[in-house]
Amino acid sequence: MKNLLNVSEIRVEFVPEFKISECPLITNSQQAYKILMQVWDRSVMSFLEEFKVILLNNANKVLGIIDLARGGKDFVPVDMKVIFSIALKASASKIILAHNHPSEQLQPSSADRAITKKAIEAGKFLDIEICDHLIVTHDKYLSLKDEGYFEIDNQ
């Protein structure tokens, strides 16, 4: 007879280090870029592509930043299940996607646009808004939202 009690307990926990009132507010892409540059490891920015996600509450206060993945010179794997499982765990209402281009070319690739579209669609099902997708370098950035590469439904 199998033991029906042989199951793992799953614990979901998010313990913020700061009060929400102390967290930065993001209302535009420039603010998001400045916050990202405070935490990005610039020593690898010219060599490896990295993907990060800013988690926001419904008032656009930063809950945290996820170091999601590190790839090669021109590719970084992005797993939507990981993005949204962390966002749900942190009770994020909104997220901002971000990755760097070691080439320092800001033009979004077809893969960049596809990831953005996939995230927007997944977010709709979970009521998590994708506010933007930034491509960053040491001293500049491109906001896919600001450049009109995708429409964001704020309803």
Side-chain angles (χ1 to χ4, degrees), residues 4 9 22 42 44-45 59 69 109 112 121-122 133 142 152 154:
L4 298 178
E9 178 184 349
E22 298 172 340
R42 291 178 184 232
V44 297
M45 216 174 199
S109 67
D112 296 339
E121 292 302 314
H133 185 167
L142 177 130
I152 296 184
N154 289 322

Side-chain angles (χ1 to χ4, degrees), residues 31-43:
Q31 291 170 333
Y33 175 71
K34 285 181 180 180
I35 289 170
L36 285 164
M37 289 302 97
Q38 290 177 19
V39 299
W40 212 290
D41 183 355
R42 291 178 184 232
S43 67

Side-chain angles (χ1 to χ4, degrees), residues 78-143:
V78 178
D79 189 336
M80 292 296 151
K81 293 183 296 294
V82 175
I83 292 173
F84 286 102
S85 65
I86 296 170
L88 289 167
K89 184 175 184 177
S91 293
S93 298
K94 304 173 183 184
I95 61 178
I96 297 172
L97 309 173
H99 75 285
N100 68 304
H101 279 178
S103 67
E104 297 201 4
Q105 298 298 312
L106 294 178
Q107 185 66 29
S109 67
S110 58
D112 296 339
R113 292 189 300 274
I115 287 168
T116 304
K117 182 177 180 181
K118 188 175 182 180
I120 290 170
E121 292 302 314
K124 285 178 184 177
F125 287 107
L126 299 170
D127 291 326
I128 297 175
E129 179 186 341
I130 309 305
C131 296
D132 207 341
H133 185 167
L134 302 181
I135 299 172
V136 304
T137 67
H138 286 281
D139 58 356
K140 56 191 174 188
Y141 72 95
L142 177 130
S143 158

